[in-house]
Amino acid sequence: KQEVTQIPAALSVPEGENLVLNCSFTDSAIYNLQWFRQDPGKGLTSLLLIQSSQREQTSGRLNASLDKSSGRSTLYIAASQPGDSATYLCAVSSRSNSGYALNFGKGTSLLVTP
Amino acid sequence: DTAVSQTPKYLVTQMGNDKSIKCEQNLGHDTMYWYKQDSKKFLKIMFSYNNKELIINETVPNRFSPKSPDKAHLNLHINSLELGDSAVYFCASSQDWGRGSPLHFGNGTRLTVT
């Protein structure tokens, strides 16, 4: 069964810092990996999706990498801003008994202070 | 226009009652999902429907019954509500049976059972 772990569980940084969020998964036979952002009381917003054949994806100040063989992904946020404060979730799609499943980590709660 | 919309946003009810949560997507997606986020913020899939057909049912009590009248709608009906059903329920959709498609989430329905 696929298990997804995110480290750290919480992170507080001053504005302007570059930071890295980590995600690891136990089964490397994945279809893709997706990073989401969740704001309090809101749904999830998709940030980046990396297919299993890709190594990284970039969107603005965000860069996500994927090392499928070692079961790891990182989300790099450059020049962090207070508006980046949210919970960041990693989700991995892989085969399950039902055919396909998207398994989430428990998230990293990020606080960027002015 | 909201891509994935759920109603109601908040639902407070007593044990033993029956309630429904509605979900609609205007993205033209083929696949819709229900996820449950518990008090520890852990997201877990409950159901997945592809073209109105159930494709995933992950060990959910049969008090929970999804209904998909058409591709754009996936409603969740819950019978005989229990205290442990209190959680935030998220509806999501993807273009196809999601192996390579990003998920789009609604803003969630916070269910409180007293």
Side-chain angles (χ1 to χ4, degrees), chain B residues 34-49:
Chain B
W34 277 108
Y35 280 83
K36 179 180 179 180
Q37 189 172 43
D38 59 26
S39 58
K40 296 180 180 178
K41 306 295 184 187
F42 191 51
L43 261 169
K44 191 168 182 182
I45 191 167
M46 300 175 68
F47 299 102
S48 175
Y49 267 74

Side-chain angles (χ1 to χ4, degrees), chain B:
Chain B
D1 278 346
T2 303
V4 182
S5 58
Q6 308 177 217
T7 55
K9 187 171 182 178
Y10 299 98
L11 187 52
V12 181
T13 188
Q14 291 183 323
M15 283 176 58
N17 284 348
D18 303 339
K19 290 293 178 186
S20 292
I21 306 172
K22 295 185 177 181
C23 179
E24 176 182 3
Q25 54 96 3
N26 62 7
L27 297 166
H29 287 170
D30 286 342
T31 309
M32 296 185 72
Y33 311 81
W34 277 108
Y35 280 83
K36 179 180 179 180
Q37 189 172 43
D38 59 26
S39 58
K40 296 180 180 178
K41 306 295 184 187
F42 191 51
L43 261 169
K44 191 168 182 182
I45 191 167
M46 300 175 68
F47 299 102
S48 175
Y49 267 74
N50 188 56
N51 276 319
K52 304 195 306 174
E53 197 173 318
L54 178 67
I55 53 173
I56 292 177
N57 179 355
E58 292 283 340
T59 56
V60 176
N62 56 16
R63 297 182 295 105
F64 290 80
S65 54
K67 292 282 192 313
S68 182
D70 55 58
K71 257 179 25 173
H73 296 83
L74 181 61
N75 303 322
L76 184 64
H77 189 75
I78 315 171
N79 290 328
S80 303
L81 277 156
E82 300 178 357
L83 292 177
D85 297 333
S86 295
V88 181
Y89 292 84
F90 286 99
C91 177
S93 72
S94 64
Q95 189 166 359
D96 52 30
W97 190 35
R99 290 193 311 173
S101 303
L103 265 64
H104 298 258
F105 280 81
N107 284 339
T109 295
R110 182 174 293 278
L111 171 64
T112 303
V113 182
T114 61

